[in-house]
Amino acid sequence: MILHGNVAQRLGRSFWRRARSAAGGVLVCVVCWSSAVRAEAPEAAVSASEAGKAPTTQRSVVPPRLLDAPSVPYPPDAHGDAKVVVVLTVNTDGSVRSAQAVGADAPFADTAVESVKHWRFAPATRDGAPVAATIRVQVEFYAPVVSGPEASTTPSGPDGATGKDAASAADSKSAERPRQAQRPIEVTVLGERQAPMVTSLSRTEVRQLPGTFGDPFRAIEIMPGVTPIISGLPFFYVRGAPPGNVGYFLDGIRVPYLYHVAIGPSVIQPGMVESVDLYPGGYPARYGRYAGGIVSAETTAPRVTPHGEGNIRIFDAGGLVESGFAGGRGTVLLGGRYSYTAAILSLLTPNAKLDYRDYQARVTYDLTPRDQVSMVAFGAYDLLAQDINGISTIAFGSEFYRGDFRYDHQIGKSGRVRTAITLGYDQTAIGGQRNAQDRMISGRSEFDQQLTSNTHLRVGVDAVSDSYKITTPVYRDPDDPSEKLFDDLFPPRRDVALGAHAELGIQVQKGFLVTPGFRVDRYSSGSATKVGLDPRLSARLRVREGLSLVQSFGIAHQPPSFVLPVPGLALGSLANGLQTAYQTSAGIEWQLLPSTKLTANAFDNVFTDLTDALSIPEGRGDSLNRRALGRAYGLEFFLHRTLTQRLGGFLSYTLSRSTRRVDNAVFPSAFDRRHVFNGALAFDLGRKWRAGTRLVFYTGAPQRTKAPAATTTTDAPAAPAVGAGTPVSDPARDPAFYRIDLRLEKLWMIGKTAHLSFVAEMLNATLKKEVYNGNPIGPIAVPSIGLEGVF
């Protein structure tokens, strides 16, 4: 629950440096009119350059000059082209005091205004003295036509100049002709076109979503196709794929888990995350080695202007700061979170201990206008333990650390190469007797290039090595069958995966985009070796303005996986084969209003050699390593009105069925919830008050371990349950569950750029208990009260 400090910076560091081609792309054309400049003295405003003024007055005023290259992303939830006129006031120190859009709709107006607020200018002068000035700029958005790369923001300018030089060159030429309008500054922003079927939410919106506490990763559960295991826990089935088959990434870096102690805050500072995308299937070829969905988060763009944010709540405190150095060539960001629940909990329960913390760091430095080196590091630590007779028993203990070192090189005006090396360490305490550890090193290299105005190529190679080890308990019986089974399932070993991928975006004709892709991976574990061949294909056809048909198909392979994503723990049974998913979907994307969008999809996924221990009935052998066939099919609907509007909200509904087959028995998967519904409203109450509410509803999961009690009111037999190794096709089900989340915020402005907010929020304000396998759980309810600030 932290207010963002740089809204609308998604893709800010991933823009192409080229002018808009005839086929389109995303172009942001920023035009400053010097003839519209109103220069202001510190005490009073004085018109300086309007038509009809004396020539001497015009010559005495020099309009503001842009210093930083404009960074304006194409809104992730937008469609089509738009022009936004923004009236902004530039202070005497070159910062933007205020910005307001004129005659434009969200999300373009919101994106333009929030981006303009972070620009830096050389201030306007009158007779050589700095003065405040009000100017008008026009920002033009053009929808991307093909998949684009992630490239640094380096605009093209006059005479081949780039970046800040381009802006300076354009402005200096206009300054020589004070009677004429300032020369336009053109910034090419060819953003990445979202793949069909992807659902994306920015952190700006997530802040307004009750029950997420401002954490972008918590928005995953509202997305269509996502089925929760238990309310509030960060483990999900995605279109029938179990939690261990869902991959989590931050800027291409693998993240082992998302939340502290399962129901706590995100392990990544929200202020560092710009947006989160969910690819439920048929995802781009650069994502591999997972046979379920992909959750990919993008970090905010580096900023040279000092800024920061922080929050303090009843159970933890966190924040981040960022600034530039070396004259703007470099940036450094530091962030973290620390929980003081251990001290609070010790007062209530002296024998219990709960502790968590995390950190984030990022450093970037421009070697040349085309070359940049950077480092991103983050990590998290969690501990839940209890002291019994002076001995600490760990119920849950986990930690992970990542360090990513990158080199980016810009090729011409539309190409980029990124090479990166990632180091990682994961560890989890298992039963208080063992520690599962993984030492990881990986490397990747990607090349992006716009080949023609209608085609874009992305290719890459990557490799990862995981060294797994589980410590041996001091006291153990080597002849114990359970010990032998554990050793067989999780042997010490080194797993290596080598991969290559290619993807070509082709605009067949205007409004018709086809993106074929292919990925190949070679897996090795001990003496076992397997190869996965993963073709991908997606298409988007614009039927008419605002309405498109979308379709995707893909095959994805994954080594055997543990039932849940646990750092340092992975099955060592590659010899039994790879898990395989065949993913298909088709649907529509319909922009009903400028800020309202409807998506509807039908999907059908088939899984082979699936390791889903949650769904394997008891008594059918080694459930952790038992393979199954699986299928999931259904319909998804998502109606979304931007949550930052005066009245915003969404409706998300999934109707699906998920089954497993072992031997000749076909039965529902463990969390086959037929109906999953999420609905939310966020509204502006006025006077800087905002409120929101959210309803979560889903039907019960099939029972697995006990049969329902016999009934005396009817002669009809009760439905049997899955259990004791005897699966049935129609087991008894738990009752449906619902919860209501609430959020209330009051904001106070501090000066022109800082603000402070009071936020009260609660997940499961209804204190509703959930029933799993016939047993009540909870209620799992999380209250939060705190202060948040941004400068």
Side-chain angles (χ1 to χ4, degrees):
M1 298 192 310
I2 305 174
L3 281 175
H4 66 285
N6 55 346
V7 182
Q9 293 292 320
R10 181 177 186 265
L11 305 178
R13 60 184 174 76
S14 59
F15 296 158
W16 284 1
R17 301 174 300 161
R18 70 175 186 85
R20 186 191 181 210
S21 64
V26 182
L27 169 70
V28 179
C29 179
V30 183
V31 185
C32 301
W33 295 287
S34 60
S35 59
V37 170
R38 176 186 296 272
E40 300 177 1
E43 300 296 333
V46 179
S47 178
S49 57
E50 295 177 4
K53 295 296 181 181
T56 55
T57 304
Q58 290 183 343
R59 285 193 296 269
S60 66
V61 175
V62 177
R65 178 170 57 87
L66 187 64
L67 296 178
D68 291 336
S71 176
V72 184
Y74 188 88
D77 54 351
H79 177 82
D81 304 340
K83 295 181 180 180
V84 180
V85 175
V86 180
V87 179
L88 59 93
T89 300
V90 180
N91 291 319
T92 56
D93 63 356
S95 63
V96 176
R97 178 191 305 176
S98 63
Q100 182 178 2
V102 179
D105 296 323
F108 296 106
D110 296 338
T111 299
V113 167
E114 293 299 333
S115 298
V116 166
K117 287 180 179 178
H118 303 304
W119 293 0
R120 295 288 296 180
F121 292 82
T125 59
R126 184 175 57 194
D127 296 328
V131 293
T134 299
I135 61 175
R136 295 164 64 90
V137 300
Q138 178 172 292
V139 183
E140 300 179 5
F141 295 87
Y142 294 91
V145 295
V146 295
S147 299
E150 298 175 355
S152 60
T153 306
T154 317
S156 301
D159 305 322
T162 60
K164 299 176 183 178
D165 294 337
S168 299
D171 284 328
S172 63
K173 291 188 178 183
S174 65
E176 296 171 0
R177 300 183 297 275
R179 294 174 180 265
Q180 300 178 5
Q182 196 171 23
R183 181 171 179 168
I185 306 167
E186 292 189 356
V187 183
T188 299
V189 185
L190 188 55
E192 181 172 356
R193 180 67 165 179
Q194 289 183 350
M197 311 300 171
V198 64
T199 304
S200 180
L201 286 176
S202 67
R203 188 195 165 212
T204 310
E205 285 198 90
V206 174
R207 277 207 74 258
Q208 306 301 326
L209 184 61
T212 63
F213 308 107
D215 289 335
F217 278 119
R218 280 198 173 273
I220 296 170
E221 66 176 347
I222 74 164
M223 298 180 179
V226 175
T227 301
I229 291 182
I230 300 294
S231 171
L233 297 185
F235 305 119
F236 315 100
Y237 277 73
V238 177
R239 286 186 178 175
N245 289 30
V246 179
Y248 304 107
F249 295 89
L250 177 68
D251 271 2
I253 308 168
R254 190 178 71 193
V255 181
Y257 63 93
L258 298 181
Y259 307 146
H260 286 293
V261 289
I263 62 173
S266 171
V267 296
I268 305 295
Q269 266 291 323
M272 193 178 180
V273 179
E274 184 58 42
S275 64
V276 175
D277 298 334
L278 170 67
Y279 299 89
Y283 27 83
R286 65 183 180 278
Y287 296 113
R289 303 178 187 138
Y290 285 94
I294 295 293
V295 177
S296 176
E298 296 292 330
T299 59
T300 56
R303 290 172 52 190
V304 298
T305 54
H307 69 101
E309 60 182 62
N311 75 332
I312 181 169
R313 301 182 288 193
I314 57 177
F315 44 81
D316 64 16
L320 64 82
V321 293
E322 184 177 25
S323 185
F325 64 90
R329 295 182 65 179
T331 66
V332 58
L333 177 148
L334 298 174
R337 186 197 313 271
Y338 178 76
S339 169
Y340 33 80
T341 49
I344 297 176
L345 193 61
S346 65
L347 300 176
L348 304 176
T349 309
N351 294 330
K353 183 177 182 181
L354 174 63
D355 190 17
Y356 61 84
R357 54 185 178 265
D358 59 59
Y359 72 90
Q360 300 82 35
R362 180 178 64 192
V363 179
T364 69
Y365 186 77
D366 294 335
L367 301 174
T368 72
R370 293 180 177 273
D371 298 273
Q372 183 187 81
V373 291
S374 59
M375 181 276 294
V376 176
F378 56 91
Y381 171 86
D382 296 89
L383 177 65
L384 178 61
Q386 184 177 12
D387 290 336
I388 302 177
N389 298 326
I391 300 176
S392 180
T393 301
I394 298 177
F396 176 80
S398 185
E399 59 185 325
F400 76 88
Y401 308 96
R402 294 289 185 271
D404 192 62
F405 306 88
R406 311 170 182 173
Y407 168 70
D408 291 281
H409 174 66
Q410 198 72 24
I411 302 174
K413 296 182 178 180
S414 61
R416 185 213 63 163
V417 173
R418 165 172 288 182
T419 302
I421 295 177
T422 305
L423 304 177
Y425 176 76
D426 300 349
Q427 180 171 250
T428 298
I430 304 174
Q433 298 294 319
R434 294 183 172 91
N435 285 337
Q437 301 172 347
D438 174 26
R439 289 175 170 82
M440 182 265 288
I441 180 171
S442 67
R444 64 189 187 276
S445 184
E446 291 185 346
F447 168 77
D448 297 303
Q449 180 68 55
Q450 187 77 16
L451 302 179
T452 69
S453 60
N454 295 324
T455 57
H456 168 254
L457 175 68
R458 167 178 281 169
V459 297
V461 295
D462 57 85
V464 59
S465 172
D466 290 281
S467 296
Y468 294 102
K469 176 184 176 181
I470 296 183
T471 58
T472 303
V474 178
Y475 304 102
R476 70 188 296 258
D477 181 2
D479 297 325
D480 186 342
S482 62
E483 293 288 339
K484 291 183 177 180
L485 177 60
F486 189 91
D487 293 341
D488 291 340
L489 288 173
F490 307 104
R493 67 195 188 279
R494 180 185 296 274
D495 290 355
V496 177
L498 307 174
H501 64 268
E503 193 172 71
L504 184 65
I506 307 171
Q507 183 172 274
V508 180
Q509 62 183 30
K510 186 177 181 180
F512 183 27
L513 174 67
V514 178
T515 307
F518 190 81
R519 181 178 184 90
V520 58
D521 289 282
R522 180 185 183 275
Y523 305 88
S524 64
S525 179
S527 60
T529 300
K530 300 294 179 180
V531 175
L533 303 177
D534 299 354
R536 312 280 171 82
L537 179 65
S538 64
R540 176 183 279 106
L541 175 63
R542 188 172 63 192
V543 178
R544 62 181 179 84
E545 187 65 28
L547 178 62
S548 297
L549 303 179
V550 292
Q551 188 165 1
S552 68
F553 167 80
I555 297 177
H557 289 88
Q558 180 180 358
S561 57
F562 189 58
V563 60
L564 297 175
V566 177
L569 200 62
L571 293 174
S573 53
L574 181 63
N576 294 337
L578 297 169
Q579 302 179 84
T580 305
Y582 303 87
Q583 304 166 332
T584 60
S585 58
I588 64 169
E589 295 177 353
W590 191 2
Q591 194 74 35
L592 301 174
L593 297 170
S595 58
T596 306
K597 183 178 181 180
L598 171 67
T599 62
N601 301 313
F603 69 90
D604 192 351
N605 291 354
V606 175
F607 308 95
T608 62
D609 288 320
L610 190 64
T611 54
D612 182 12
L614 291 176
S615 298
I616 302 299
E618 297 178 6
R620 304 200 51 99
D622 172 17
S623 60
L624 282 177
N625 206 21
R626 188 68 182 268
R627 303 302 182 96
L629 293 174
R631 185 185 180 191
Y633 55 92
L635 300 173
E636 302 166 346
F637 300 92
F638 191 52
L639 178 62
H640 175 209
R641 176 174 170 81
T642 307
L643 291 170
T644 54
Q645 297 289 302
R646 185 174 182 85
L647 177 62
F650 69 85
L651 297 174
S652 173
Y653 172 66
T654 302
L655 170 66
S656 65
R657 177 169 172 79
S658 177
T659 62
R660 299 291 182 262
R661 177 170 182 167
V662 177
D663 298 330
N664 293 322
V666 179
F667 50 92
S669 65
F671 292 90
D672 171 42
R673 304 190 187 276
R674 302 291 178 82
H675 306 275
V676 179
F677 173 83
N678 277 269
L681 283 176
F683 36 92
D684 187 346
L685 302 176
R687 297 182 179 273
K688 305 295 184 181
W689 284 92
R690 287 192 67 90
T693 185
R694 171 183 167 198
L695 170 66
V696 178
F697 170 86
Y698 47 78
T699 52
Q703 296 183 2
R704 299 185 63 237
T705 58
K706 72 174 185 179
T711 177
T712 59
T713 60
T714 177
D715 294 333
V722 176
T726 308
V728 295
S729 59
D730 188 19
R733 290 179 175 267
D734 292 321
F737 170 81
Y738 74 89
R739 77 168 198 254
I740 295 177
D741 305 333
L742 300 174
R743 183 179 188 275
L744 181 66
E745 176 186 6
K746 168 62 176 177
L747 182 143
W748 297 273
M749 294 300 301
I750 303 175
K752 299 297 183 181
T753 59
H755 61 257
L756 182 69
S757 295
F758 166 80
V759 179
E761 192 164 1
M762 186 165 185
L763 182 146
N764 193 11
T766 48
L767 301 179
K768 181 73 174 178
K769 290 186 177 182
E770 188 167 359
V771 177
Y772 171 64
N773 208 30
N775 301 311
I777 298 176
I780 299 178
V782 182
S784 176
I785 299 176
L787 294 175
E788 306 172 353
V790 171
F791 69 90

